[in-house]
Amino acid sequence: MWRLAMIMLGLLAAAPAPAPALPDWMAGCWEQRDGERWTEECWMPPRGGVMLGAGRSGRGETVREWEATQIVAEGEGMAYFASPGGSGRTRFAWVPSAEPGVAFVNREHDYPQRIRYWREGKELLAEISLADGTRPMRWRYRRTGG
């Protein structure tokens, strides 16, 4: 019996960790406002291993920047793809972290090299930075009706 228990324990230890679920807690439309300045992000719920997103920012009625984004399940992880202004896609690999939420890194990219999302209560927070966390920029979004 002891041998069987040791074999089973060995099999469990050798089993790969389950792939992380796509961050369905990001789904919905989110907005940050500061006077006339605004930033919006909308994420579709996961379907078929893909989350599609879009973001834009501006002032008043003027859109200054926009971006198409995706989070895609890949093997035992996921990847974040960004296309600012419709340019070519840049891939950021998911990295496990002790921090809440999800983080994606591409050390070869100029800036940002790290993209992170997490929730604090009803708010969605987003941060971009260099891979080591320096030069951060942060957004605090509230859910919108969109």
Side-chain angles (χ1 to χ4, degrees), residues 20-141:
L22 293 179
D24 60 350
W25 44 265
M26 289 173 54
C29 289
W30 305 88
E31 179 181 58
Q32 173 180 288
R33 286 198 165 270
D34 181 13
E36 284 197 11
R37 291 183 175 179
W38 49 268
T39 302
E40 301 168 325
E41 275 196 44
C42 289
W43 285 95
M44 290 182 179
R47 184 176 297 238
V50 177
M51 287 182 73
L52 298 176
R56 62 185 175 182
S57 63
R59 182 179 211 128
E61 290 299 314
T62 303
V63 174
R64 298 213 172 156
E65 298 175 346
W66 65 275
E67 181 172 47
T69 50
Q70 300 166 314
I71 299 175
V72 179
E74 289 186 342
E76 295 181 17
M78 60 184 124
Y80 181 100
F81 293 91
S83 301
S87 67
R89 289 174 46 179
T90 301
R91 182 181 183 277
F92 295 80
W94 171 74
V95 290
S97 174
E99 295 177 303
V102 291
F104 304 91
V105 173
N106 178 337
R107 292 179 183 280
E108 305 301 315
H109 194 254
D110 55 356
Y111 187 88
Q113 294 179 333
R114 180 173 177 242
I115 300 168
R116 182 173 159 241
Y117 287 92
W118 70 101
R119 291 284 298 269
E120 287 183 2
K122 294 182 177 183
E123 297 179 322
L124 175 69
L125 281 78
E127 180 181 81
I128 60 174
S129 66
L130 292 177
D132 64 3
T134 59
R135 293 185 44 211
M137 292 179 63
R138 192 175 275 186
W139 292 263
R140 182 176 290 272
Y141 295 113

